[in-house]
Amino acid sequence: MTQAEKPRVLVIFGTRPEAIKLFPVIDALRACPQIELLCCVTGQHRELLHQVLDMAGIVPDIDLGLMQPGQSLDALTARLLLSLGEVMDQHRPSRVIVQGDTATAMVGALAAYYRRIPVSHVEAGLRSGNLYHPWPEEANRKMIGAIADQHFAPTETSAAALRAENVDPATIHVTGNTVIDALHAMRARIAADPALAAGMDDLLARAGDRRIIVVTTHRRENFGGGMEAIGRAIARIAARGDTFVAFPIHPNPNVRAPMHALLSGRDNVAIIDPLDYPNFVRLLAHSHIVLTDSGGVQEEAPGFGKPVLVMRDTTERPEGVAAGTARLIGTQEDAIVAAVETLLDDAAAYGAMARAHNPFGDGKASGRIVKVILDAF
């Protein structure tokens, strides 16, 4: 088969979580001589994205650099649609792959649909049941689900959600979540080369024998009052002498401003810049509790046996709650403090969450995904 005859697969992503969850898929696709692979990054998370690209050894074929300060969702969506449409018109892919629930993923699927290019959706079928939580991610996933012809569901729960929306069962493939593939790969790399995650040395020394609580928060629906309540709760938790809060803070000013105002100057609170993936994996491994409104962390932390307290009222990852690895606690200050202190002070409650089975996969999702894609050609 000549290069001109090979089907061309275009992988589109724009944020750090997408890059983490797609690099194992990209690695597996790179190993396939039957296809031509192109990677397009939109730059939706510019700084955070390139941390992962550098770590994974991915050099994008197309780098659109579309993010602008203070950009509205409609402006970003319009720029994504025009730019990704031009990419597809120029390169004419045989198939487009998108991941998750970002604006990049939704618009990538839409631009492909406008050109009758089939779409593979990695991490398909996640649903919270509330169109505005998480916002706008819940709607993005539903729209991609209406377009894709290959739905790679991480769990049977996700597959069932797709079938309930009348998605053709023949197009749904339960693969596990590729974030577990990424986690396994990174743990092995750190074991072989500890210098990859040496950036945590000083922070771990500063924490000493205090129990580390890792905090991540960035959800749009928590901006404003919710973010301030989270900050006040963290301040109360940090007032205990037996805790150390490690807070890799999102670059969005809606997160940074209230958190710096409420938490700066405390000896046992480390507000740090976003971590590259190896250092974040090492921090998770040393954590005691993870407090988050993120989606991916709900999947990663159980891989280390770490309880996850989710500062949201709904989650599109109910498998973790059902398995006992995660608890929904909302964003009320008192509820956050009570949930954290229960795990700090009740060994039985902590052990029940720490020992729960991780329902998100076995680390072999990427191979299953690539096999389905190749078989379709």
Side-chain angles (χ1 to χ4, degrees):
M1 183 183 292
T2 67
Q3 191 72 11
E5 293 171 329
K6 289 182 180 181
R8 179 175 292 158
V9 176
L10 177 64
V11 183
I12 300 171
F13 55 104
T15 67
R16 178 181 185 270
E18 286 170 292
I20 289 170
K21 293 182 176 185
L22 281 173
F23 86 74
V25 178
I26 291 169
D27 283 349
L29 287 168
R30 279 172 169 168
C32 298
Q34 309 97 308
I35 63 167
E36 179 188 354
L37 178 65
L38 290 178
C39 292
C40 172
V41 298
T42 63
Q44 193 176 332
H45 286 175
R46 190 74 189 175
E47 312 90 348
L48 305 184
L49 171 65
H50 280 272
Q51 290 178 355
V52 181
L53 296 180
D54 293 342
M55 174 275 302
I58 296 172
V59 178
D61 300 284
I62 304 123
D63 189 343
L64 297 175
L66 294 180
M67 196 59 189
Q68 294 180 350
Q71 188 166 227
S72 67
L73 282 174
D74 48 5
L76 174 61
T77 298
R79 297 180 73 220
L80 282 166
L81 188 59
L82 290 171
S83 298
L84 290 173
E86 289 177 3
V87 168
M88 292 180 201
D89 289 341
Q90 179 181 351
H91 295 281
R92 300 187 177 276
S94 308
R95 175 168 292 278
V96 166
I97 299 175
V98 298
Q99 193 283 331
D101 55 19
T102 65
T104 289
M106 184 273 287
V107 176
L110 183 61
Y113 169 73
Y114 284 163
R115 290 155 180 81
R116 297 179 179 265
I117 300 168
V119 173
S120 301
H121 187 197
V122 176
E123 199 184 60
L126 276 65
R127 299 289 186 271
S128 73
N130 184 329
L131 200 60
Y132 293 95
H133 293 275
W135 173 83
E137 290 85 358
E138 180 82 355
N140 287 345
R141 286 185 184 276
K142 290 172 73 72
M143 286 187 271
I144 299 168
I147 291 171
D149 75 320
Q150 290 179 344
H151 306 264
F152 298 120
T155 66
E156 177 54 40
T157 299
S158 301
L162 291 166
R163 291 192 292 268
E165 294 174 359
N166 296 317
V167 173
D168 181 357
T171 67
I172 302 169
H173 309 272
V174 179
T175 61
N177 199 304
T178 59
V179 77
I180 307 302
D181 302 27
L183 193 64
H184 287 189
M186 187 46 57
R187 291 173 76 172
R189 290 189 193 186
I190 293 170
D193 182 6
L196 285 172
M200 284 295 94
D201 288 350
D202 290 345
L203 184 143
L204 295 175
R206 179 178 162 192
D209 59 1
R210 292 175 289 193
R211 290 176 286 183
I212 296 174
I213 299 169
V214 174
V215 178
T216 69
T217 180
H218 69 278
R219 287 286 174 196
R220 289 175 184 269
E221 61 265 30
N222 286 341
F223 289 173
M227 203 61 66
E228 291 168 4
I230 291 169
R232 291 193 301 270
I234 294 168
R236 287 170 59 186
I237 294 161
R240 294 175 54 126
D242 61 346
T243 61
F244 184 89
V245 176
F247 194 161
I249 195 163
H250 196 277
N252 193 304
N254 291 295
V255 180
R256 287 185 173 251
M259 293 308 172
H260 278 291
L262 290 162
L263 300 172
S264 290
R266 296 173 182 268
D267 172 65
N268 62 335
V269 177
I271 297 179
I272 56 179
D273 286 333
L275 297 171
D276 64 18
Y277 191 51
N279 281 290
F280 185 69
V281 167
R282 186 178 176 203
L283 178 60
L284 277 184
H286 283 83
S287 68
H288 188 70
I289 297 167
V290 177
L291 188 61
T292 187
D293 64 10
S294 167
V297 179
Q298 295 175 52
E299 301 153 348
E300 291 167 314
F304 290 107
K306 309 300 181 180
V308 184
L309 297 176
V310 184
M311 298 180 292
R312 289 161 57 181
D313 296 317
T314 61
T315 179
E316 67 282 17
R317 293 166 173 85
E319 298 92 338
V321 176
T325 62
R327 254 188 77 198
L328 286 171
I329 63 170
T331 57
Q332 296 299 312
E333 178 184 343
D334 288 344
I336 294 170
V337 173
V340 172
E341 292 197 328
T342 294
L343 293 181
L344 289 171
D345 298 332
D346 186 337
Y350 184 89
M353 292 188 74
R355 291 190 298 269
H357 168 70
N358 185 354
F360 294 109
D362 59 3
K364 300 177 181 178
S366 299
R368 298 183 184 107
I369 288 168
V370 170
K371 183 179 186 305
V372 172
I373 291 170
L374 293 180
D375 287 348
F377 288 130

